[in-house]
């Protein structure tokens, strides 16, 4: 038997676990997936949770049923790559022959006050805490959303639409949706204005206080709740285990998605620094799930004594929801630069909901080996 341990039960970890179980079943693969929660979290929709919407809830045991993957609930506290062991909180130790590291990233809290006073989307519970705080502001208040990337834009629009009694301020160093083409960006700007979102572009938050954010230069913006979406970093777990990581703490991998320092470890999704001809893959579900599937295929090929194929990937789109009634879809070149084509309005809403729908039907097809790697690039949105 070959013990294959998958750390992380998000979109990417589940895809990798199901795929590698199917690929290695006949050659003695024994797959275990570890996740801190017993529930599967749709991280693509945490901004809806923060806005007060109740989403479907899935047990990981149910998601993995029929795949042969064993589920273990527990938070990973340490890795010992020499002994090929993962230690969970509470002391339980799991041994592995091959490891797929899919623990993702967490919010970069290096700006003073973020860890103490800001809300994040690191997990479902974090989004619920923000929602509960906003519930307490029934009489009105100000929410500051820090970061003009896709997560910040979606959050600002969702909160403004769902909670119109609140003042929503989007603070960003650049322009919201700066990666989009001019016409798509113009629609995004107009929709934020229609929803009443106040946009502060060219502003750099230097400190988060209990009731305000401080900008470079000393200006204070009052805030009853601050949501921080400005950047992510890898867990210290990987570097602590001696794995080679980049400046953001992501595991550096080769073309087969194996750690360049520890070839028995595969890294996928946000946790991996994957170099492609156009640069390092950035953290989205669009690119993350294909890495999980490719790592599973690479691992299975290695166990069969074959040479794994190099990972290839190109972006397709940037789907952004702007509340429940509007959206903008920017179609892209493989390097994620914008093409001329885009969608807005109702057509964009339908498109966005289609590509970010519940992954369970796709996971069911994956169990049967009916979904190729490239299909996930077309059926995945922002991560």
């Amino acid at each position: 038997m070959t013990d294959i341990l998958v750390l992380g039960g998000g979109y990417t970890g589940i895809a990798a676990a199901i795929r590698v179980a199917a690929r290695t079943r006949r050659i003695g693969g024994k797959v275990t997936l570890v996740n801190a929660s017993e529930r599967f979290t749709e991280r693509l929709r945490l901004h809806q949770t923060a806005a007060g919407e109740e989403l479907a809830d899935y047990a990981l045991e149910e998601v993995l049923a029929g795949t042969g993957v064993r589920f273990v609930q527990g938070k990973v506290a340490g890795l010992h790559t020499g002994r090929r062991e993962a230690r969970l909180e509470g002391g339980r130790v799991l041994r592995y022959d091959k490891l797929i590291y899919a623990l993702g990233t967490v919010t970069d809290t290096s700006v003073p006050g973020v860890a103490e006073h800001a809300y994040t989307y690191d997990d479902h519970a974090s989004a619920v805490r923000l929602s509960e705080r906003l519930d307490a502001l029934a009489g009105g208040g100000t929410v500051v959303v820090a970061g003009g990337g896709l997560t910040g834009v979606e959050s600002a629009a969702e909160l403004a639409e769902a909670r119109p009694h609140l003042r929503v301020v989007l603070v960003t160093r650049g322009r919201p949706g700066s990666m989009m083409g001019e016409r798509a960006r113009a629609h995004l700007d107009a929709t934020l204005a229609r929803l009443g979102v106040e946009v502060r572009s060219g502003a750099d938050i230097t400190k988060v206080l209990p009731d305000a954010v401080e900008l470079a230069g000393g200006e204070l913006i009052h805030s009853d709740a601050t949501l921080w979406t400005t950047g992510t970093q890898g867990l210290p777990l990987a570097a602590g285990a001696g794995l080679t990581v980049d400046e953001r703490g992501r595991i550096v991998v080769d073309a087969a998605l194996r750690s360049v320092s520890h070839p028995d470890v595969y890294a996928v999704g946000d946790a991996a620094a994957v170099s492609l001809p156009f640069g390092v893959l950035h953290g989205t579900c669009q690119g993350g799930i294909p890495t999980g599937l490719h790592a599973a295929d690479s691992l299975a090929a290695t166990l069969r004594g074959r040479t794994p194929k190099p990972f290839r990937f190109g972006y397709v789109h940037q789907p952004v929801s702007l509340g429940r009634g509007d959206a903008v879809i920017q179609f892209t070149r493989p390097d994620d630069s914008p093409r001329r084509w885009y969608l807005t309005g109702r057509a964009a809403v339908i498109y966005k909901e289609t590509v970010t729908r519940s992954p369970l039907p796709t996971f069911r097809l994956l169990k049967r080996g009916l979904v190729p790697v490239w299909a996930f690039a077309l059926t995945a949105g922002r991560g």
Side-chain angles (χ1 to χ4, degrees):
M1 300 294 292
T2 300
D3 288 313
I4 302 168
L5 187 62
V6 181
L7 302 182
Y11 297 92
T12 303
I14 292 173
I18 294 175
R19 180 81 153 208
V20 79
R23 290 285 194 266
T24 63
R25 187 175 295 119
R26 295 182 180 179
I27 55 174
K30 180 182 176 184
V31 182
T32 300
L33 183 142
V34 177
N35 195 61
S37 170
E38 64 177 352
R39 318 303 296 182
F40 169 67
T41 297
E42 290 195 72
R43 292 194 69 167
L44 291 177
R45 298 184 180 274
L46 288 181
H47 59 289
Q48 294 173 239
T49 299
E53 184 176 342
E54 288 192 19
L55 303 177
D57 187 30
Y58 308 105
L60 280 172
E61 291 275 13
E62 176 185 332
V63 174
L64 297 171
T67 65
V69 177
R70 179 175 66 124
F71 172 61
V72 172
Q73 183 181 356
K75 185 175 182 179
V76 182
L79 282 177
H80 196 298
T81 52
R83 294 198 295 261
R84 295 182 182 172
E85 293 176 345
R87 177 174 53 84
L88 308 185
E89 287 186 350
R92 184 174 182 179
V93 174
L94 298 174
R95 186 192 170 278
Y96 65 85
D97 297 305
K98 301 289 184 181
L99 177 74
I100 298 178
Y101 186 105
L103 289 173
T105 55
V106 293
T107 302
D108 183 351
T109 59
S110 57
V111 171
V114 171
E116 297 82 4
H117 307 304
Y119 295 87
T120 67
Y121 287 152
D122 283 342
D123 52 33
H124 181 261
S126 300
V128 170
R129 285 194 292 273
L130 174 57
S131 179
E132 291 172 345
R133 171 57 181 158
L134 300 183
D135 287 343
L137 300 176
T142 299
V143 181
V144 170
V145 178
L150 303 188
T151 301
V153 168
E154 287 196 329
S155 297
E158 197 80 38
L159 295 177
E161 181 182 78
R163 302 174 185 267
H165 61 288
L166 296 177
R167 175 193 178 209
V168 178
V169 183
L170 178 62
V171 181
T172 172
R173 291 177 179 174
R175 181 178 175 182
S178 59
M179 71 295 297
M180 293 184 162
E182 190 63 34
R183 290 180 294 176
R185 210 162 45 229
H187 180 81
L188 185 153
D189 291 341
T191 303
L192 291 178
R194 173 176 58 80
L195 292 171
V197 176
E198 298 178 30
V199 178
R200 290 290 303 270
S201 298
D204 189 9
I205 298 177
T206 57
K207 185 183 295 185
V208 178
L209 304 170
D211 59 354
V213 296
E214 182 178 308
L215 307 184
E219 180 186 354
L220 295 179
I221 300 177
H222 172 74
S223 178
D224 296 292
T226 301
L227 172 62
W228 197 259
T229 72
T230 64
T232 60
Q233 59 185 9
L235 295 168
L237 189 69
L243 294 160
T244 298
V245 299
D246 70 358
E247 67 281 356
R248 288 177 49 197
R250 299 175 298 180
I251 298 172
V252 181
V253 296
D254 64 13
L257 304 184
R258 295 172 297 206
S259 162
V260 296
S261 59
H262 295 76
D264 289 327
V265 176
Y266 295 75
V268 297
D270 295 355
V274 183
S275 293
L276 294 170
F278 53 78
V280 178
L281 196 69
H282 59 74
T284 69
C285 203
Q286 184 181 172
I289 292 180
T291 65
L293 300 181
H294 189 87
D297 291 350
S298 294
L299 196 160
T302 300
L303 292 181
R304 288 185 168 88
R306 301 172 183 168
T307 301
K309 295 179 180 179
F311 178 69
R312 302 173 189 269
F313 177 80
Y315 294 98
V316 177
H317 53 201
Q318 298 165 358
V320 185
S321 62
L322 299 171
R324 295 297 85 203
D326 205 344
V328 57
I329 313 298
Q330 174 67 69
F331 295 101
T332 69
R333 299 181 181 87
D335 65 358
D336 208 29
S337 62
R339 294 184 184 271
R340 290 183 302 141
W341 309 299
Y342 67 101
L343 288 176
T344 61
R346 185 60 185 164
V349 171
I350 294 172
Y351 185 102
K352 177 64 162 49
E353 287 304 305
T354 299
V355 301
T356 59
R357 67 188 184 276
S358 168
L360 293 191
T362 305
F363 286 150
R364 293 189 191 103
L365 291 175
L366 187 58
K367 293 176 187 179
R368 298 163 59 188
L370 299 178
V371 181
V373 173
W374 59 262
F376 276 93
L378 299 177
T379 58
R382 177 193 54 77

